[in-house]
């Protein structure tokens, strides 16, 4: 892995660089209503000195005093008047004046399209819907039909510009990501992928349903372009179930391969005319619905964890990993035991548009009217794939590789039942900052040291905004963890918690306003590379390397329903931790890699629960003492 690839893996979800042409990045997709947002401000370039001062403060907990002295000298030299930092800052400011978002093109390429490891586990999250208890195949297929209808109903609202503009306080947010979800597909390349978007002049009228590794084209609109009723959709799903026969070869696992390998296999597949037609039908579909088969014995894992694993990777080549097309932006998943949710390819959008889509579907399913479908529905079309000897060989290797991914990922998902965001609000604290400090505390409890900690902040208040990093590990968070684990009074523990929460909240405000550390520093490095300059010493210093090795990768993805998102860790010796704070409980999806002896998802879950309880008890004790 090149140093630049490693850099991107350290500061987001993976990878590499090349300027993405603006004509491609802007995307030809119907975006009614978005044009009214062209007056959104452009992403600012933060002042160099402020970023460097903030950077020193964020790295201090992660390095020794001697290392900090060295880093301070490196930073001082970098930021000196007339030094390399000022030169790079000037170049970055020049770039910002000529683009709507100086970071967006770099990010799409670096974090996604030139990342060559599999999207499965390493990049694409799973989103678990409220779990079901299907008592029959009819019940399951009815749910699936309503899920399709709910997604199409949401798309109709997008097409009619009926989705309200989100706001952060009084600031409207960029809504373009919402319009990049349907009809989008990541296309594999030999060294770099591309994004395919549906033609707005000839929008898709079909989806793909996968079952037993077979792929079917389903027309979902009538001749007048009205959405088919869920009853008619149910007819098509029943026909698929009845006609599927034996499982087909798990061709879908190719989409879980290394992107270069998949790019070569895609080229080979495309040499056959029928294959090319099938690939085009999948590429141009609105989304996938995966009707999954049974899963292997997963031992004592709870239902939430089972569902999380199924949405992230499908549990292997002999289970449901071949019943996927991981390149599609959205794949809805309906398991045979009630595991329901989706997996999404991350490059076009962050979590909020996907969570809004989920909430709409869940609400639609709950309120869907009775439907007695009259007349005949369109007949599903089974797609054909002819697998040559060369492709078969790649397919066998892909099966082995996806099984290795499946075997290595450990997840422990749970609901903290003790309390939720309403209790935290009653303590006059930010729920997100409070949860972040609990995660820091849990890590410190296990490892007896702080860990570099990534939390996603949205920069969508700016045109084409994506994300910034909230560096949750701080001097205050370390002091808080030490205080909680020491023999301090409850008053001292609460005071340390309040200070840590206040510090995190302040950093969050700066990050969502585009004034974090990571994107600015990364921009300075990339502009140096783009201009053929030497990479400054700052980016090879111990502090930068250690603070960018995000051992804790976290994100709040809030859904109104009983749901949670989940994904793999960013680094081998790290944890993934996504959460949905509900009024009286909090859902968590946590992960680790079994191949790392220092991390364990179940131990992290236990430490996290214990941390929440101890924080609660300290707060309640102090409250009682004041009565």
């Amino acid at each position: 892995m090149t140093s630049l690839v490693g850099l991107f893996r350290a500061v987001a979800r993976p990878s590499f660089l090349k300027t993405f042409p603006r004509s491609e990045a802007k995307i030809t997709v119907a975006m009614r209503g978005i044009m009214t947002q062209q007056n959104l401000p452009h992403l600012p370039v933060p002042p160099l000195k402020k970023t460097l001062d903030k950077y020193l403060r964020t790295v201090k907990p992660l390095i020794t005093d001697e290392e900090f002295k060295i880093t301070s000298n490196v930073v001082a030299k970098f930021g000196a008047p007339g030094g390399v930092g000022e030169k790079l800052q000037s170049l970055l400011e020049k770039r910002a004046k000529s683009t709507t978002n100086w970071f967006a093109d770099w990010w799409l390429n670096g974090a996604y399209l030139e990342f060559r490891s599999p999207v499965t586990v390493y990049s694409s999250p799973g989103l678990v819907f409220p779990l079901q208890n299907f008592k029959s195949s009819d019940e399951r297929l009815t749910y699936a039909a309503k899920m399709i209808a709910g997604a199409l109903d949401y798309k109709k609202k997008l097409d009619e510009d009926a989705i309200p503009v989100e706001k952060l306080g009084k600031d409207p947010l960029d809504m373009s990501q919402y319009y990049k979800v349907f009809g989008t597909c990541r296309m594999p390349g030999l060294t770099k992928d591309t994004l395919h978007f549906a033609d707005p002049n000839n929008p898709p009228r079909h989806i793909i349903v996968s079952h037993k590794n077979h792929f079917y084209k389903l027309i979902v609109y009538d001749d007048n372009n009205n959405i088919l009723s869920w009853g008619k959709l149910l007819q098509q799903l029943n026909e698929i179930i009845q006609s599927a026969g034996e499982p087909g070869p798990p061709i879908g696992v190719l989409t879980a391969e290394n992107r270069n390998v998949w790019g070569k296999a895609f080229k080979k597949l495309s040499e056959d005319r029928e294959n090319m037609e099938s690939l085009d039908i999948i590429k141009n579909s609105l989304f996938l619905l995966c009707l999954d088969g049974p899963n292997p014995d997963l031992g004592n894992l709870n239902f939430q964890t089972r569902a999380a694993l199924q949405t992230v990777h499908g549990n292997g080549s002999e289970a449901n990993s071949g019943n996927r097309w991981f390149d599609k932006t959205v794949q809805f998943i309906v398991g045979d035991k009630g595991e329901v949710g989706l997996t999404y390819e991350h490059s076009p959008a962050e979590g909020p548009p996907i969570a809004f889509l989920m909430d709409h579907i869940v609400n639609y399913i709950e309120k869907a009217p009775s439907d007695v479908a009259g007349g005949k529905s369109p007949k599903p079309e089974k797609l054909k794939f002819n697998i040559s000897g060369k492709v078969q060989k790649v397919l066998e290797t892909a099966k082995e590789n996806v099984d290795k991914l499946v075997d290595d990922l450990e997840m422990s998902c749970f609901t903290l039942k003790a309390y939720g965001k309403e209790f935290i609000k009653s303590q006059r604290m930010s729920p997100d900052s409070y949860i972040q400090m609990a995660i820091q505390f849990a890590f410190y409890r296990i490892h007896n040291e702080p860990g570099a900690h990534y939390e996603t902040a949205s920069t969508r208040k700016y045109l084409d905004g994506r994300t910034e990093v909230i560096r949750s590990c701080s001097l205050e968070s370390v002091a808080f963890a030490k205080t909680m684990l020491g023999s301090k009074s409850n008053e001292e523990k609460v005071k340390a918690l309040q200070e840590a929460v206040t510090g995190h909240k302040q950093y969050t405000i700066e990050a969502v306003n585009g004034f974090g550390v990571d994107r600015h520093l990364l921009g300075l490095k990339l502009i140096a590379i783009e201009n053929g300059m030497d990479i400054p010493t700052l980016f090879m210093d111990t502090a930068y390397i250690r603070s960018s090795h995000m051992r804790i990768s976290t994100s709040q993805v809030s859904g109104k329903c009983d749901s949670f998102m989940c994904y793999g860790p960013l680094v081998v010796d790290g944890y993934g931790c996504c959460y949905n704070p509900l009024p009286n409980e909090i859902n968590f999806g946590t992960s680790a890699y079994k191949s790392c002896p220092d991390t364990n998802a179940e131990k992290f879950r236990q430490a996290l629960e214990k941390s929440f309880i101890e924080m609660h008890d300290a707060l309640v004790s102090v409250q009682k003492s004041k009565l």
Side-chain angles (χ1 to χ4, degrees):
M1 181 180 286
T2 69
S3 60
L4 192 52
V5 174
L7 169 65
F8 268 104
R9 266 195 75 75
V11 293
R13 282 196 174 278
S15 186
F16 190 59
L17 160 73
K18 237 178 208 175
T19 302
F20 194 57
R22 197 68 205 155
S23 58
E24 278 186 77
K26 197 63 184 173
I27 302 156
T28 54
V29 61
M31 294 193 287
R32 300 187 196 94
I34 290 183
M35 296 309 294
T36 63
Q37 290 193 268
Q38 293 301 305
N39 60 350
L40 288 175
H42 291 191
L43 181 70
V45 177
L48 181 60
K49 186 178 186 309
K50 286 189 176 181
T51 293
L52 295 179
D53 289 346
K54 194 180 304 178
Y55 168 70
L56 283 174
R57 182 172 174 80
T58 65
V59 302
K60 191 170 179 56
L62 299 166
I63 56 179
T64 66
D65 290 343
E66 188 60 36
E67 288 169 334
F68 186 73
K69 289 179 183 177
I70 296 171
T71 295
S72 297
N73 290 332
V74 169
V75 169
K77 184 177 179 181
F78 180 82
V84 66
E86 283 194 354
K87 293 177 183 177
L88 296 177
Q89 179 78 358
S90 178
L91 289 169
L92 197 57
E93 289 171 350
K94 183 179 178 182
R95 174 185 171 90
K97 290 177 181 177
S98 63
T99 61
T100 56
N101 188 305
W102 61 265
F103 195 66
D105 296 348
W106 277 337
W107 186 246
L108 180 59
N109 275 278
Y112 300 111
L113 299 183
E114 293 194 7
F115 176 54
R116 309 320 289 160
S117 293
V119 297
T120 311
V121 175
Y122 293 119
S123 178
S124 297
L127 180 58
V128 178
F129 288 21
L131 299 171
Q132 305 297 305
N133 180 24
F134 299 134
K135 295 181 174 61
S136 67
S137 177
D138 286 345
E139 195 172 299
R140 176 193 181 206
L141 292 185
T142 296
Y143 178 96
K146 291 179 179 179
M147 178 183 265
I148 296 170
L152 295 172
D153 184 68
Y154 186 81
K155 183 182 182 300
K156 183 172 183 286
K157 291 185 181 300
L158 284 172
D159 292 342
E160 295 173 349
D161 196 22
I163 300 296
V165 173
E166 283 185 89
K167 290 188 176 182
L168 180 64
K170 295 180 180 179
D171 296 324
L173 301 182
D174 186 292
M175 297 294 288
S176 59
Q177 293 178 30
Y178 283 74
Y179 295 81
K180 300 173 186 176
V181 171
F182 293 106
T184 306
C185 192
R186 179 165 167 169
M187 303 303 295
L190 300 182
T191 59
K192 172 191 170 184
D193 294 349
T194 56
L195 282 177
H196 169 81
F197 295 92
D199 181 357
N201 298 314
N202 186 26
R205 301 181 65 250
H206 71 280
I207 67 168
I208 299 296
V209 174
S210 59
H211 179 59
K212 292 186 175 182
N213 302 336
H214 303 296
F215 296 88
Y216 299 82
K217 175 182 178 181
L218 260 67
I219 302 297
V220 291
Y221 294 95
D222 65 18
D223 293 338
N224 296 316
N225 211 33
N226 296 312
I227 299 169
L228 295 181
S229 69
W230 67 260
K232 280 190 167 61
L233 296 169
L234 177 59
Q235 288 179 9
Q236 296 191 73
L237 296 182
N238 270 309
E239 187 163 341
I240 287 172
I241 293 292
Q242 293 164 12
S243 65
E246 294 298 313
I251 192 168
V253 300
L254 290 171
T255 65
E257 251 294 9
N258 171 281
R259 301 306 294 179
N260 290 348
V261 173
W262 171 216
K264 292 176 184 176
F266 183 89
K267 191 175 180 181
K268 286 290 181 186
L269 273 174
S270 302
E271 291 172 357
D272 180 276
R273 183 181 58 80
E274 284 189 321
N275 289 348
M276 192 69 248
E277 289 177 358
S278 296
L279 292 168
D280 280 346
I281 290 170
I282 294 174
K283 175 182 73 176
N284 290 309
S285 64
L286 288 168
F287 55 82
L288 250 74
L289 175 80
C290 308
L291 292 174
D292 279 357
N295 285 306
D297 182 6
L298 298 177
N300 296 322
L301 298 180
N302 64 30
F303 198 20
Q304 286 171 297
T305 303
R306 291 167 184 264
L309 292 169
Q310 189 158 348
T311 60
V312 169
H313 54 49
N315 290 309
S317 61
E318 297 300 319
N320 295 295
S321 296
N323 203 49
R324 301 281 186 274
W325 202 265
F326 287 104
D327 289 354
K328 282 302 290 184
T329 301
V330 174
Q331 298 182 89
F332 296 105
I333 295 163
V334 181
D336 66 337
K337 301 296 183 186
E339 313 94 327
V340 292
L342 61 81
T343 184
Y344 83 98
E345 199 286 302
H346 210 324
S347 57
E350 314 303 339
I354 308 299
F356 270 82
L357 168 62
M358 170 195 65
D359 280 333
H360 183 89
I361 292 170
V362 169
N363 185 61
Y364 180 95
I365 291 172
E366 290 175 352
K367 298 179 179 179
S370 58
D371 188 323
V372 179
K376 290 184 178 180
S377 61
K379 186 178 178 63
E381 175 190 345
K382 187 175 182 179
L383 305 186
K384 295 179 181 179
F385 284 102
N386 300 311
I387 302 175
S388 67
K390 289 182 179 179
V391 173
Q392 181 62 42
K393 187 175 180 181
V394 178
L395 181 57
E396 292 302 317
T397 302
K399 288 164 62 177
E400 294 175 6
N401 288 337
V402 78
D403 290 342
K404 289 176 183 176
L405 281 179
V406 168
D407 290 342
D408 195 29
L409 183 66
E410 176 188 49
M411 301 198 82
S412 183
C413 306
F414 68 101
T415 299
L416 178 77
K417 294 285 189 181
Y419 59 100
K421 62 183 179 183
E422 290 306 317
F423 169 77
I424 302 170
K425 287 180 181 178
S426 75
Q427 304 301 305
R428 297 182 179 179
M429 292 190 226
S430 157
D432 183 72
S433 296
Y434 181 99
I435 293 168
Q436 286 288 309
M437 291 309 101
I439 295 170
Q440 269 287 302
F441 181 19
F443 185 94
Y444 200 99
R445 182 193 296 278
I446 295 171
H447 298 285
N448 200 34
E449 64 178 3
H453 184 156
Y454 179 114
E455 182 188 5
T456 305
S458 173
T459 53
R460 285 173 51 219
K461 68 176 288 183
Y462 300 108
L463 192 63
D464 294 335
R466 292 293 297 251
T467 64
E468 174 60 275
V469 179
I470 302 169
R471 290 191 165 203
S472 295
C473 180
S474 64
L475 293 168
E476 294 85 0
S477 75
V478 175
F480 160 64
K482 289 180 176 178
T483 300
M484 290 296 294
L485 291 171
S487 55
K488 303 292 185 179
S489 67
N490 283 324
E491 286 76 11
E492 290 172 300
K493 292 177 180 178
V494 168
K495 184 173 183 289
L497 171 59
Q498 290 170 335
E499 290 175 350
V501 165
T502 298
H504 179 272
K505 185 177 179 181
Q506 180 57 41
Y507 199 106
T508 299
I509 293 169
E510 293 172 0
V512 299
N513 283 288
F515 296 99
V517 165
D518 291 81
R519 301 302 184 246
H520 187 196
L521 290 182
L522 181 56
L524 293 171
K525 180 171 184 178
L526 296 182
I527 203 75
I529 294 169
E530 195 172 83
N531 283 273
M533 300 168 64
D534 291 337
I535 296 176
T537 306
L538 172 69
F539 302 106
M540 295 176 277
D541 181 55
T542 298
Y544 187 79
I545 294 169
R546 195 170 299 160
S547 69
S548 298
H549 184 76
M550 299 295 182
R551 296 194 65 190
I552 317 167
S553 172
T554 68
S555 186
Q556 177 183 160
V557 179
S558 299
K560 294 179 181 178
C561 62
D562 184 17
S563 61
F564 64 94
M565 191 169 277
C566 47
Y567 44 73
L570 272 182
V571 296
V572 173
D573 59 342
Y575 300 94
C577 184
C578 198
Y579 51 92
N580 179 14
L582 297 165
N584 299 305
E585 58 189 25
I586 308 171
N587 288 337
F588 285 94
T590 68
S591 64
Y593 291 119
K594 295 176 186 176
S595 54
C596 178
D598 297 328
T599 57
N600 180 280
E602 178 58 22
K603 286 183 180 178
F604 187 72
R605 179 197 68 79
Q606 293 172 5
L608 194 54
E609 285 192 295
K610 190 173 183 181
S611 296
F612 272 105
I613 297 301
E614 290 179 5
M615 291 161 68
H616 173 274
D617 291 350
L619 286 164
V620 171
S621 175
V622 170
Q623 276 185 326
K624 288 181 178 178
S625 69
K626 292 180 179 179
L627 295 178

